[in-house]
Each structure stands twice: as C-alpha cells, then as structure tokens.
Amino acid sequence: AMSALPAGWTMMIEPNSGQPYYYNAATGNTSWTPPDTGGGSAGGLPPGWEARMDPNSGREYYIDHNRGVTQWTPPQSGGGAGGAGGGGAYQLPPASGGGSAYSLPQQPAPPSGELTAADLAAIAAIEEADAREEEERRKAREREASMPLPSGVSADDDLAGDDDGEPRAHEWVSNKEATSCFLTGTKFTLTNRRHHCRYCGQCFIQAVSSKTLAIPALGFKDPVRVCDVCHAQLEAGDPVCVSKEVSRMRDKEGAAQQQGLRALADWAGFDPQFASAAAIDAFTRLDAFSRLEELLHKDKGSAVQAAAVRLVGNMAYYEAYLAPLGKVDPPVVKAVVKLLGSSKASAEAKVQAARAAALLMDDEEQRRAAADAGAVAVLTDVVLAGDCPADLLEWVAGGLIRLCSADAKTAKEVAKSGAAFLLAPSLGSASTAVQEEVATLLAVLAGADADARTQAAESGGLPQLVGLLRSRTPSTREAGLALARELVRSSRCATALADAGAAAPLCNFVVQAANSGGTEEGLADAIQLLLSLGAAGGSAMTRVQSAVRDANAIPALTQLMSVSDREVRAAAMKAASEFSANDSRSTDALRESGGVVLLSESLLSPDDQTALQAVSTIAQMSSSSAHVQSIVDNGCLGPLLQLLTHRSAGVRQEAELAFSNLARSGAINSMLLTDPSASKHLVGLMRRAGGVMQSQAAFAIAGIAGDARARETLFTQGALPQLVGLLDADPELAGAAVQAVAHFASDERFRATLAELGAARPLAHQLSHRSPDVMRCALSAVANLSFVAEGVASLAAAGAPLKLGELLFAGDAQTQHMVLAALCNMANADPRDPAMQLMQVGGALGLVTLCTARDPQIQAQACLLIGQMSQCTPFAAAVLAADATQILAGLLHSASADAQMNAVYALGILAGHDEAAARAVEATGAITALTRMLLGGGAADTKRRATLAIANVVRGQWRQVYNMGGFAALLVALNVGTDAVQQEASRAIADLAADPTHRRALLSDVNSVSSIVGILSADNPATQLCAAEAVLAFAEEASAREVLYSMGLVGQLIRLLTAPKDEGARPVAPDAQAALVGTLAHFAADARYCDTLRITMSPLSDLLLSDHAGVACNAARAIANLAQSEANHEALCAVGVVDRLAELLPSPDEPTQECSVLALAKLRPPPSLAARFLASGWQLSLVALLEHSDLEVQAASASVLGELCADAKFREAMLADGALGTVVELLAGGQAHCALAALRALRSMARHAGQAAAGQSAALQLAQAVCADAPAAELRQALAYRPP
C-alpha cells in the first residue's frame, strides 16, 4: 500500500546520483530517508495520487491515477488539474567525437537551512493548490465506488482492484487491447493467460512476468508482479520505465509517440545509466530500435521525426548503442540521412539528424551504410547551400570528418566540390565547437587534395586560423595546428599563412611551454609547424625568423633540447638550427644560450635516441654556412668522426650527412688533406645508396681534388671508380661527381685510367647538364680526356662531338676554347666520325664563323679544326660552300702566328680535295701569300704547312711558284716539304736546270746549288732522282763543275755510290744512281779532275755489273773518260774494268755497248784476253759494231779487234768470220780516224800472219802492202790509235 508523506514534505530526485530525497518546504529541511507519517496524518496525498520529479526541469508534479491527469500543485489544495507536464527537451552539451563519458552539470545540493521569501511564497501557492485538489479527489472516490469494472476485466483477473490499495485497471492496458505478450509477442490463450506488470501496466505471459519486486515509488511496499524488463530496470534504479515509453512509441497517435520518444530522449540526455546493459537489453527485447527506425520516416509527421531523431542522437552519444542501432534492417542511419536531406524537415529536426548521423558514423558499419545512403552528398549539399546555422554546421562538419577520414576517395570528392572555400570563414564562428569541427574537417580535406588547401588559404579564413592558434583552449589550438599542418604542405599556402601572422602565436606558445617545463600538449606540433612555415622559404622564412627574434625563442628552443620528450627535443634541435641559419642575431643567441655546446655534448650520449637527435640537428645546421664554423669551433668534429662507425644505422647516416656537409663547405679541407682516414670516410660515403650524402661526398672530394697529393691519396682509396660510377646518377649527384672527375682529368696521370673506367660516355652526356658550372666541368674533363688515345674513341662513340658542336656557339670564350680543343684532339685521331656528327648541328658554318672571332686563339683553333675535319670530304664540301676559303686566305695576313699557320693548314687540306677546291683557293690569291711565307723568316712548321698548301694548289705546276719566288721558293719547299712536295719541287728544279738560261741563274746562287746537292741524300727516291738529274745538268757546265767540286760533290757521290747495304742506309735508286755516275763521267772528261778521280775507279768497275742499263752505260762512259789519261790505264786495268767492259759488249742496250767498246779501245786490251773473248763470243759483238752507224764506235771496235788479233787463234777466228772484209770497208770509208783504226787492225793481222798462203785474198795482200816497212810516212805515224 502506498503511504502518503507528512504535510509539507515532498519527495525529490537528486540529479547527480538519481536517488530520491525528501524536502520540507515549511522548515527547509532535507532528508535521505522518508519522514515519519505519524500514523497517516491528514497532510498525506489522497488515495490514487503520486508525487513525481520532472527530470527536465527538476520540479515536482502530481499524478492522479484515478483520472489519468497531472498537475504542478499538490492535491491537498483542492486545485484543478495543471497543464500536461514534461517540460522542454534537454540538450546534451556538444561533443567533438562522441564516445567519452558525459558529466552531468553541477546542480545545487538539496536545500538546507533557512528559506527565502521566494521559497515561502512558492510553498503557500502549493498548499493552496493542494487544498483545491483534495476536494477533487474526494469527489473522484465517490464516483469510483459507483463505477463498474472496465470492459474485459473479470473479477478473478489479477488486474481487479484489491483492498490493498493497488492502482486500478484504467492505468493499465486493457485486456481487449492486449492480445499478445508485449515482450515476446506470444498470443494469449485460456491456458497462456495475460498478466499485467505493476510498473509498466503492459500485459505479458507468465514466463516473462513471474518476478516480483516492491515498488515504493508507486506505493507498493510489498513485492508485486513485474515483467522481466521492468524488474531489471527497477533493480538498476532506472528513473524511466522503458516498457511504458516504448508502448507509447508503438501507439498510433502522434502525441503518444512524441511523449514516449521525448521521455526516453530526456532520460538519455542527463543520465549515463541510460547506456547500462539492462537498458540496452530492454530496448533490444522490446524491438524498440526497429520501431524507432519506422518513426524516422516522413509519413510519421515532422514532430515525431524530430523527437525520434533526437532520441537516436542521444542514444548514439553512447558507444554501446551504436551496434544495436546498426543491426536494424535497414540501419537507422539511412533513415537519419534521408531525414537530413529532406526539404520538409524542420530546422530542429535537421540539427538533430546531423548530430545523430555524425554520432552513428563512429561505428564503421553504420559509416558505410551512411555512405551508401548518400550521406556524403547530403552533408556536402548542406555546406554548399551556405548560411548554415552554427548548431547544424557543427554536426555536419562532424559527419564529414568521419566519412572523409575513413575514405580518401570521399575526401577528394568533397574537396573537389569547393566545400573548403565555404567552410573556411566559419573558423571565425562564435561557437568554439564549430571552430574545432570546421578546422578538423578542413585539415582532412586539405590532406586529401591540394585544391582544398588552396581554397582554404584563399577564402579569407587564414586570420581566423591564426586566432585558433592563439587560443588558450588546448582542443581548439590542436584543431588549428592540425589544419595548419596540412596547409603548409603547399609552399604557397605556407607563405600565405606566414603572412597572416601564424608564426608569432606559435613562437609565443613555444616560449610559454619552455618556461613551464616543456610539457604542454601540442608543443612538438607547434615547433614542427614553425619548421614547415620556414621551409616555404622567401618571405615565409623571413617572417618566421622575425617572429623567433621578437619572441626570443632561440633560448627557449635551446632549453627544450634537454626535455625528456624525445619528439619535442628533436623538433627543438631542428628548429634552433634552421631559424638561426643566415640570421646573425639568432645565431648569436644559439651560441650564447649554449645550444651548439649542448649538441656537441649530446653527440656521444649513451642513449642512441639522444645521440640521433643531436647529430640530426648538427647535420641540419651543417647545411648552413652560418653554422659551419661554430660547429667546428665547438668541438663537434671529433664526435662526428666517431659516430661514423656508430652501432645505430640512423646515427651513422646523420653523422655521414653532417660530415659530408662540413666537407663540402670547405671548413675541414685542411683536415681532409692531412688525415687520410677522414678522406677515406668520404670515399666510403660515395658507396652509400643515398643521393644526398653521395652528392656531398663528391662535392667534398671535388673541393680537395685540386691538390695533387690529395688526388693521389683519393685514387689509392678507390675514389675514382666510385666517381665515374656516379656520373650516371641523378643530375645533382652527377653534377658533384663531374666536378671531382674534372680535377682528376686535369692530371695526366689519371686520364688513361678514366678512359679505361668508361668515363667518356657519361661525361659526354653531362655536356647537356642544366647547370652551367657542371657543364663547364664536364667540358673540361672531356677536353682533357681527349688528349689520350683511349679517351678519343670512347668520346666519339658516345656522341661527344655532337654535344660539343652544340656548345660551339656558347657566349663565353673559355667554353669555346675547351670545345675547340676537345674537337681538335678527336679530329686529330680520326676526323670522319667527329666531322659527320658536327655537321648535324651546323658545325661547318659554326667553325667558319669562329674564324672571324675577335680572339686570335679561337681563330687559330677554328682554322686548325677546319683543316682536320676537312679531311672528310662531306665536311670539306660544307666548308667550301660557306665561303671559307676567302676567310682563311684573309687570315694568312693575321698578326697571330697560330692563326696564320692554321689557316695555311686548312687551305692546304681544302685545296687537296679536288681540282675545283684547288682553283677556289687559288682564286683567293693565296699562292702569293703562301710564297711570301716560304721566303719569310717564319717558323719551319709554318713554312712546311705553306709548302703543303702550295703543293695542293699548284698540283705539280711549280713553275708559277718559281715565277713568284724564284729558285729560293722552290728550295725552301725542297727543304721543308714532305716527300711528295720535295719530289715535285726537285722535279721542277731539275726541269729548270735542264734549261741553260735558268741553270745559269741558279748557278749564280751557291747556296741554292748546295741545297740541291744536299737533297741527293733524300730518303725519297723520286726526290733523290730529281736532285741527281739537276746535278747532272749542272755538271755539263765547266764553271758549275768547279763549284760542285769545291762543295765536295765528288766525295758525296762516292759515298752514295759505295754505301754498304748492311749499315741501314737507304740504297740509291738505280735511276738516280745512273744520273750520279753520269755526273762523275762529266768530271772524268774534264782534264782538271781526271787524274784526281782514281778513287772512283773501283766503284765504277762495280757499277759496270749493274742491271740498270743507265748505270752501266754511264759507268763505262766515266771509265772511258778516265782512260784518256795514260796514267789511269794501269789503275783501271788493276780493278778489272777491261773484263767487265768486255762483258758489256753483248748488252742489248746500244748506249751501253757503245760506251763499253769506246772504253775498251782506249784501254787497249792485251792479247791475253783473246781467249776469253773467243770463249764468251764477245768478238762477235765487236765485229757487229764494225758496222755501227757511229764512226767512232766503228773505229773503237776495229781498234779493239786489232789489239786482240795479236793472238793467232783470235786472228784466225776473225779471218774465218769475215771480219777482214769489214775492216777493209772501214779503210775505204773516207773517215780518217776510222781508216787509221782499220789500218791498225790490218797491220796487226798482217804482222802476225807471216807468209800468206796462195789464195790469200787481195784484201790481205793490200793490207800487207800497206803495212810494208816503208809505207808513207804520214800513214805510218797514223798507225798509232788516238781517240777522236
């Protein structure tokens, strides 16, 4: 039975604990225990009335169970029924993520002590209302006594009223309405009877309503029947009956549905017990979630939808409800999304729908379901619609955060819609929650798409973002930091953010955090953001460094280097390094605050992480020239070298980077040059796979490779193969390697090695490097490599001439010098391939153009290269087409000796191609200039090239050179020209010497004659022959013989004719030998020299045996001339010339025969040779010569026969051969010297014949008569032979 409270006492609910307490309005006292009723004083509530606490407002209200009405005033006052209770809906405070426990707002403790005047007035009003209601209750009891039982309720049903004071049936569901169990849905039957739960009033089967429990709040002090759901709720102390409110949700009337929904939403809004397992189980067993999904649809009315979605949102606030809500088919979230997108939904409904959707999407399954339902488009449309209320925007942003964070594709889709542009201004919202949610969403979008970053930066929201960074609220500041971190990924956005003043609040926060011990949340992120702002460079770095100076942040960063948080420590080290770079004040602050010393001490820390952070900072600082010296001065170098072999790979890598930076800066070059172990580390760094360190090491090596000793050390440490290997790396790394290789290539000791290592190909490729400095280094290396044969072929094969040709038109002279040098070296080896490559880029015209450059050295190189390349016919044709001959001819008058000499060379090569080219050169008047060069005092090389050029132009017609420069020009060509030129010039001289007029002119110049004599020893046979012929022509002149003799020509001739073949001397060619012997013959014919040439007798005797007819003939002539002197006869015979002359008698060469017989006649061979004549048949040749057309030959033959006829056998043979008749014919020939020879022969025959037998011919008789003892005196004197 329900007992009434004493007068003035009211039961209330303590909101923090949910426990009931009691309050006396008259005295102001409170009590946790019910006050003593004092035997049921008149001050209690009338029967059927119940006092309850409105959970929304905290006010007490009263329920009349008899009439089913409520009122605010107590029933004792007799007042009428009040308005429908329930109050307004309770709003949960905004939540940023959902899932965290909600703390109830602080409420005042139950009242105690003295009442105020307002309290007394309220109590008086309540008492007055109670008096009115008491009268109403009395009348109701009288009506109740006369009322029949409700329809469908029998007297034996447990719903029938008892005398124990239980509520009547009109508070419960009627039997007629309850056809099945409210919990299980089982149909009621006669055997399966219905039972009402005394707490919720619904009907249940026995199986789920067998439990009992006292319900003091309803006046049931003794246990009464309750359903399983209510039993669990009552056990848990839940303030709201779930079954009752669910029954209202199931009601067909919208008002009832709203009432149930609001009651449950109110409970969820203030009581965490709403998320208890018992409550969730109750909702699940009652299938409330499915009913809730049904109520969300538009056909249920907007008010019901608003109430339903509010309940969903309050449920979703608790993580435990997410799974049950997601198990509904279809998931509740789909209906929520649909409601949010409805144009007919109220503004409040949309807010609640956005909130519910956001909270539901904390569950992955429901997030996917929401996405499938088009949540992305719906939420995005809300944003794009503009003018979004703050409370709606908060949850819309929250929903998009959950969707975009889970799916990058969704984030890009939202970002591309332009939502970021509309969201950014809301960073300045008055609502902190909106600021945080919008900032977080923008961070997600900016992280997914670059356009979103641009939109956020250009929408005017950056000043508001800076305001978030200034916030003292950690969550707001963290949201701002998250967005800023994404924005600074774009250097443009970073610059804009820096311009908006973001650095100042960040620096202030860092300083404040350092002063408070460095434990502030988000400190590492703030420092990292500063670093990102500075990384944008330009004005951004300037503004950041300015903010760092203004806030005096460097000492704070130094202080943070020693905090325990590793992330903060690492960020502080890096920031101190970067922001002090190139800023003298900050650099001084870092040094003065002990930052560098602290880093140096931390390098060798036993803690690997500390060492890593310190060495990473040193590595960062070492990249700035402002810090390099400070690092070295503060003792960091020694620890760095130790860290190069550290056990931790990360520490080693950073140490290597720092060491390579220092090495590249040049600050430690002195150590690298003196400490091989340090340079060995550099070589080791080049073997690493990391491009940065390899590049730094290569740059460092380039810095010290200028020293010859350093190159040698680096070479022995294996640096060169590594450098060559890096030439094919990325442009920056290859650029560093090129600079180092260029130093090695400048040292001739390493050029061949570079070629063997294959450096030519990558170096040729680097000629196209985008960096002018690297390109020039590659060019220098290529030029030096072209000095070795191994490198030339590789360079040509690698296409270097093509790349070099592209550089021909470079603006600076130094580049052109190196290009031309490299091309000249390659063309010198083999001009064909370089020439063809050069033509592809217009190299022919380029070289012709360079011949007109102002720099004489460039002119000289261009001319030389034209000459070399013109050995390739197509290139020569291209040069000639560019009118190069005129330009080159002009350079023959250049003041530069090199330009002049190379122009001569080029003209000579061009003229040598064909007749047309020769005539083109001749047309420029170059012959005159070239001839002057021959006669001038220039270098021998210049004259040699001029001679070659002239030879190619005149093409053997040296007479025009003689016409311009006389014999002097020909003699210069003879002295300095090639074999071919000497041959042509000597031929010209020989031809001119054959002309008496020109010969006399030549003989007037002793030096010229001496030069001609000098080339008798020429290696070229043709040249030697021409010289010999010229000398032979000179020897015809008596005056010339005197000059030649004085020059020692005879001795030279003897040396040439007698040089042993085994001494390596080149033998004199037969034709030249014949001319030389002919010259001796001229000297022998001169009485002045005849007796002085005995030394030539033996060589001449040997030359009689020559196979060359001219040599033998001239030798015989020379001997004949020598035989004119009786003094030479004995010597000639002593060297065996007679036998050898006799051997020449049968010679098929008529001149040889003639000279031989003439010589034999002068030497008068003794009869002792007759036998050899007969044996060899030589007498036949003598007899044949008797009929020679030349009378001198006839006479000489007759004379020799006469001498030999002294031998009887020979005479008999002659008579037998009919030689006598031929001799007699000579006698009658009419020529005195022939007759004398014939007579001498006849006398010899007759003297030795004795008495001729009968039958001797008349001729013999005539001969005997002529030869009688007394012939005519004059005839007898003539018998002695004289040469003609």
Side-chain angles (χ1 to χ4, degrees):
M2 179 177 61
S3 59
L5 294 174
W9 285 92
T10 304
M11 183 183 72
M12 303 184 74
I13 300 298
E14 203 281 312
N16 290 321
S17 63
Q19 296 183 12
Y21 68 94
Y22 302 88
Y23 168 67
N24 190 323
T27 65
N29 294 331
T30 59
S31 172
W32 288 108
T33 58
D36 188 6
T37 59
S41 65
L45 293 174
W49 285 89
E50 178 185 357
R52 289 189 181 180
M53 182 65 61
D54 176 25
N56 292 311
S57 62
R59 293 176 59 190
E60 186 179 56
Y61 66 97
Y62 302 88
I63 303 175
D64 185 353
H65 292 286
N66 297 322
R67 297 179 295 163
V69 298
T70 61
Q71 63 185 44
W72 289 107
T73 56
Q76 290 90 337
S77 62
Y90 179 81
Q91 287 290 323
L92 284 174
S96 59
S100 60
Y102 172 72
S103 297
L104 290 171
Q106 294 295 324
Q107 298 290 343
S112 61
E114 297 295 326
L115 296 175
T116 63
D119 293 334
L120 294 176
I123 291 171
I126 291 174
E127 290 176 346
E128 183 180 353
D130 286 344
R132 291 193 299 270
E133 290 181 357
E134 179 61 28
E135 180 61 23
E136 290 293 328
R137 281 197 295 272
R138 184 184 62 76
K139 294 177 180 181
R141 284 194 297 272
E142 291 176 355
R143 289 194 299 270
E144 183 181 359
S146 61
M147 287 177 61
L149 288 174
S151 174
V153 179
S154 62
D156 60 351
D157 193 279
D158 62 358
L159 290 176
D162 297 329
D163 293 337
D164 59 3
E166 288 186 6
R168 288 301 183 181
H170 64 268
E171 182 73 13
W172 299 338
V173 66
S174 66
N175 290 346
K176 182 178 181 180
E177 295 176 357
T179 60
S180 60
C181 178
F182 186 74
L183 183 59
T184 66
T186 304
K187 293 289 186 179
F188 292 128
T189 63
L190 292 175
T191 57
N192 195 16
R193 299 181 61 191
R194 63 178 59 83
H195 299 276
H196 278 80
C197 171
R198 269 51 173 180
Y199 189 59
C200 66
Q202 299 299 316
C203 291
F204 303 88
I205 61 174
Q206 171 67 20
V208 295
S209 62
S210 61
K211 297 177 181 178
T212 60
L213 200 65
I215 312 175
L218 297 181
F220 297 108
K221 294 183 179 180
D222 298 325
V224 293
R225 181 187 296 273
V226 291
C227 66
D228 290 354
V229 173
C230 291
H231 184 273
Q233 276 201 278
L234 291 169
E235 286 280 322
D238 292 342
V240 176
C241 178
V242 172
S243 297
K244 181 184 292 185
E245 304 306 336
V246 170
S247 70
R248 289 173 178 163
M249 289 170 58
R250 292 181 182 178
D251 200 293
K252 296 180 181 179
E253 297 297 327
Q257 293 169 357
Q258 291 182 53
Q259 185 179 1
L261 291 168
R262 287 173 179 170
L264 291 173
D266 291 344
W267 177 28
F270 78 88
D271 189 0
Q273 194 166 325
F274 180 78
S276 66
I280 295 173
D281 182 65
F283 283 112
T284 303
R285 296 181 67 182
L286 293 171
D287 199 20
F289 299 115
S290 296
R291 179 58 179 168
L292 186 57
E293 194 275 336
E294 295 174 3
L295 295 176
L296 288 170
H297 294 288
K298 63 182 180 180
D299 57 348
K300 301 302 180 182
S302 59
V304 175
Q305 285 179 321
V309 77
R310 175 170 174 261
L311 175 57
V312 172
N314 285 359
M315 283 182 169
Y317 181 79
Y318 301 103
E319 186 177 358
Y321 278 96
L322 294 178
L325 287 169
K327 291 179 181 179
V328 179
D329 187 19
V332 173
V333 71
K334 290 191 174 183
V336 173
V337 171
K338 186 175 181 180
L339 175 60
L340 178 59
S342 173
S343 60
K344 297 180 180 180
S346 64
E348 176 62 24
K350 284 184 175 291
V351 173
Q352 294 299 335
R355 175 173 177 269
L359 295 174
L360 285 170
M361 284 189 286
D362 282 334
D363 178 69
E364 183 178 355
E365 295 295 331
Q366 301 220 53
R367 185 168 58 248
R368 284 200 292 266
D372 293 341
V376 177
V378 170
L379 294 170
T380 304
D381 288 344
V382 173
V383 174
L384 296 178
D387 297 330
C388 187
D391 50 355
L392 176 59
L393 181 59
E394 173 189 352
W395 293 107
V396 168
L400 287 172
I401 289 170
R402 290 160 173 81
L403 288 168
C404 295
S405 298
D407 183 30
K409 185 177 179 181
T410 299
K412 280 188 171 292
E413 179 183 342
V414 175
K416 294 297 184 185
S417 70
F421 192 85
L422 296 172
L423 284 169
S426 297
L427 292 172
S429 172
S431 168
T432 302
V434 172
Q435 291 177 341
E436 295 177 1
E437 293 296 304
V438 169
T440 304
L441 175 57
L442 287 173
V444 174
L445 297 180
D449 186 76
D451 290 342
R453 291 194 289 272
T454 303
Q455 293 171 19
E458 296 179 352
S459 61
L462 294 184
Q464 288 78 14
L465 175 56
V466 173
L468 298 185
L469 298 177
R470 290 195 184 97
S471 175
R472 294 181 178 275
T473 304
S475 59
T476 303
R477 184 171 59 245
E478 178 57 34
L481 287 171
L483 174 55
R485 279 197 303 271
E486 296 300 334
L487 291 181
V488 296
R489 290 171 59 187
S490 163
S491 59
R492 181 179 177 184
C493 294
T495 301
L497 190 57
D499 292 342
L506 292 172
C507 289
N508 292 332
F509 174 59
V510 169
V511 172
Q512 292 170 8
N515 292 336
S516 61
T519 58
E520 293 287 339
E521 187 72 24
L523 176 57
D525 290 338
I527 300 175
Q528 198 62 49
L529 182 55
L530 278 172
L531 288 168
S532 299
L533 288 175
S539 62
M541 174 57 86
T542 302
R543 292 183 183 277
V544 172
Q545 288 183 320
S546 177
V548 168
R549 287 195 304 271
D550 294 343
N552 196 24
I554 292 296
L557 291 170
T558 301
Q559 185 178 347
L560 292 174
M561 289 182 191
S562 57
V563 299
S564 58
D565 189 317
R566 290 181 174 178
E567 187 177 3
V568 173
R569 187 167 64 235
M573 288 181 177
K574 186 176 181 181
S577 167
E578 287 198 7
F579 299 145
S580 57
N582 303 319
D583 188 310
S584 58
R585 285 178 53 189
S586 295
T587 301
D588 292 341
L590 180 64
R591 184 176 59 255
E592 293 169 0
S593 61
V596 182
V597 174
L598 181 62
L599 290 170
S600 177
E601 294 172 350
S602 302
L603 287 174
L604 298 181
S605 171
D607 178 38
D608 288 357
Q609 189 63 31
T610 301
L612 176 60
Q613 291 170 345
V615 74
S616 298
T617 304
I618 290 293
Q620 179 66 32
M621 293 175 66
S622 64
S623 63
S624 169
S625 58
H627 291 309
V628 168
Q629 199 57 46
S630 179
I631 292 173
V632 175
D633 293 342
N634 283 279
C636 297
L637 193 55
L640 273 178
L641 290 176
Q642 296 183 47
L643 293 181
L644 290 173
T645 57
H646 197 274
R647 60 180 175 273
S648 168
V651 173
R652 286 199 307 274
Q653 184 176 1
E654 293 298 327
E656 289 168 351
L657 179 57
F659 177 70
S660 62
N661 285 340
L662 292 174
R664 181 182 179 180
S665 70
I668 60 172
N669 276 4
S670 58
M671 183 199 71
L672 292 174
L673 291 172
T674 57
D675 187 355
S677 64
S679 59
K680 187 176 182 180
H681 282 301
L682 279 180
V683 177
L685 288 179
M686 286 199 299
R687 297 190 179 97
R688 302 290 191 270
V692 174
M693 286 182 292
Q694 286 179 320
S695 174
Q696 299 284 54
F699 273 120
I701 288 177
I704 63 174
D707 183 84
R709 290 177 300 173
R711 286 196 296 271
E712 188 172 353
T713 301
L714 291 168
F715 178 76
T716 58
Q717 292 171 344
L720 206 51
Q722 298 298 322
L723 289 169
V724 172
L726 295 180
L727 292 175
D728 280 324
D730 60 85
E732 182 177 358
L733 181 53
V738 166
Q739 296 183 47
V741 168
H743 282 295
F744 279 94
S746 67
D747 192 328
E748 61 182 11
R749 295 177 298 172
F750 305 110
R751 290 173 185 167
T753 303
L754 282 170
E756 292 171 2
L757 291 172
R761 181 192 56 77
L763 282 173
H765 175 71
Q766 295 303 328
L767 291 174
S768 301
H769 199 283
R770 61 174 180 263
S771 168
D773 291 338
V774 175
M775 181 275 292
R776 278 191 287 270
C777 287
L779 178 57
S780 172
V782 166
N784 285 322
L785 203 58
S786 68
F787 284 100
V788 294
E790 298 87 344
V792 168
S794 301
L795 287 170
L802 188 66
K803 302 290 181 64
L804 291 169
E806 295 171 352
L807 297 175
L808 270 179
F809 303 98
D812 60 295
Q814 184 181 7
T815 300
Q816 291 176 334
H817 277 304
M818 289 190 288
V819 168
L820 292 169
L823 286 172
C824 286
N825 288 338
M826 284 187 278
N828 188 49
D830 183 1
R832 289 171 297 176
D833 191 17
M836 298 308 295
Q837 292 188 42
L838 202 59
M839 287 182 65
Q840 297 179 33
V841 291
L845 181 60
L847 289 176
V848 173
T849 304
L850 289 179
C851 288
T852 62
R854 293 184 177 181
D855 188 340
Q857 189 61 32
I858 291 180
Q859 290 179 338
Q861 288 178 300
C863 291
L864 175 60
L865 189 54
I866 286 176
Q868 292 173 320
M869 295 289 190
S870 293
Q871 296 176 55
C872 175
T873 302
F875 192 91
V879 170
L880 289 170
D883 198 22
T885 54
Q886 196 65 44
I887 296 174
L888 292 171
L891 290 176
L892 295 178
H893 307 283
S894 172
S896 168
D898 290 337
Q900 189 181 64
M901 179 175 66
N902 291 341
V904 170
Y905 169 69
L907 285 171
I909 296 296
L910 288 171
H913 273 282
D914 53 35
E915 184 68 26
R919 300 291 71 79
V921 176
E922 184 179 13
T924 64
I927 294 294
T928 302
L930 291 171
T931 303
R932 288 174 181 170
M933 288 184 185
L934 292 182
L935 299 176
D941 196 29
T942 301
K943 292 185 177 183
R944 187 177 300 110
R945 291 191 176 187
T947 302
L948 176 62
I950 292 173
N952 287 339
V953 174
V954 300
R955 294 181 171 266
Q957 303 301 316
W958 285 81
R959 180 64 67 93
Q960 58 181 314
V961 179
Y962 169 76
N963 293 337
M964 294 179 186
F967 276 110
L970 295 176
L971 290 171
V972 172
L974 196 61
N975 288 325
V976 301
T978 61
D979 288 347
V981 172
Q982 287 181 350
Q983 180 179 343
E984 291 182 4
S986 61
R987 170 51 54 196
I989 293 173
D991 293 343
L992 290 168
D995 185 331
T997 303
H998 294 296
R999 182 167 65 233
R1000 293 188 184 96
L1002 179 60
L1003 289 172
S1004 64
D1005 185 357
V1006 176
N1007 292 330
S1008 298
V1009 176
S1010 176
S1011 297
I1012 296 173
V1013 171
I1015 61 172
L1016 287 173
S1017 301
D1019 291 335
N1020 184 279
T1023 302
Q1024 192 179 51
L1025 172 61
C1026 293
E1029 290 177 349
V1031 171
L1032 177 61
F1034 293 154
E1036 293 178 6
E1037 299 280 343
S1039 58
R1041 288 196 291 272
E1042 185 175 355
V1043 174
L1044 293 173
Y1045 188 83
S1046 65
M1047 291 179 180
L1049 175 63
V1050 174
Q1052 185 174 357
L1053 292 176
I1054 294 173
R1055 285 194 297 273
L1056 289 172
L1057 296 173
T1058 60
K1061 297 182 179 179
D1062 57 353
E1063 291 185 1
R1066 182 188 296 274
V1068 179
D1071 288 341
Q1073 199 173 44
L1076 296 177
V1077 176
T1079 303
L1080 281 177
H1082 282 299
F1083 275 93
D1086 193 328
R1088 294 175 295 175
Y1089 311 110
C1090 183
D1091 292 339
T1092 63
L1093 296 178
R1094 291 185 180 183
I1095 193 173
T1096 65
M1097 294 178 183
S1098 179
L1100 289 173
S1101 177
D1102 293 337
L1103 291 173
L1104 291 173
L1105 301 177
S1106 174
D1107 294 333
H1108 191 278
V1111 174
C1113 178
N1114 286 340
R1117 181 180 292 113
I1119 290 173
N1121 291 338
L1122 289 173
Q1124 292 180 95
S1125 172
E1126 291 291 339
N1128 292 333
H1129 284 193
E1130 184 177 356
L1132 288 169
C1133 292
V1135 296
V1137 296
V1138 176
D1139 290 348
R1140 291 178 180 177
L1141 287 171
E1143 292 175 359
L1144 294 177
L1145 291 175
S1147 172
D1149 181 61
E1150 186 174 343
T1152 302
Q1153 278 184 320
E1154 294 171 356
C1155 293
S1156 299
V1157 73
L1158 290 172
L1160 281 172
K1162 292 177 182 180
L1163 289 173
R1164 298 192 295 275
S1168 59
L1169 290 177
R1172 290 193 61 192
F1173 270 75
L1174 291 174
S1176 300
W1178 296 338
Q1179 80 282 5
L1180 299 177
S1181 298
L1182 289 171
V1183 173
L1185 290 174
L1186 290 174
E1187 298 178 356
H1188 196 278
S1189 59
D1190 188 334
L1191 296 178
E1192 294 294 334
V1193 174
Q1194 292 177 357
S1197 299
S1199 176
V1200 174
L1201 285 172
E1203 295 295 335
L1204 293 175
C1205 282
D1207 181 82
K1209 291 183 178 181
F1210 187 85
R1211 185 171 59 252
E1212 292 175 359
M1214 291 298 98
L1215 291 173
D1217 291 337
L1220 184 60
T1222 305
V1223 174
V1224 172
E1225 291 176 0
L1226 287 178
L1227 183 63
Q1231 296 293 328
H1233 64 281
C1234 291
L1236 290 174
L1239 286 173
R1240 186 179 179 190
L1242 290 173
R1243 188 188 65 170
S1244 177
M1245 292 179 188
R1247 182 182 300 130
H1248 300 291
Q1251 295 296 322
Q1256 285 181 331
S1257 66
L1260 180 58
Q1261 294 173 0
L1262 177 61
Q1264 290 174 343
V1266 171
C1267 296
D1269 292 337
E1274 62 274 12
L1275 188 60
R1276 190 180 298 113
Q1277 292 177 351
L1279 288 178
Y1281 177 77
R1282 298 280 193 282

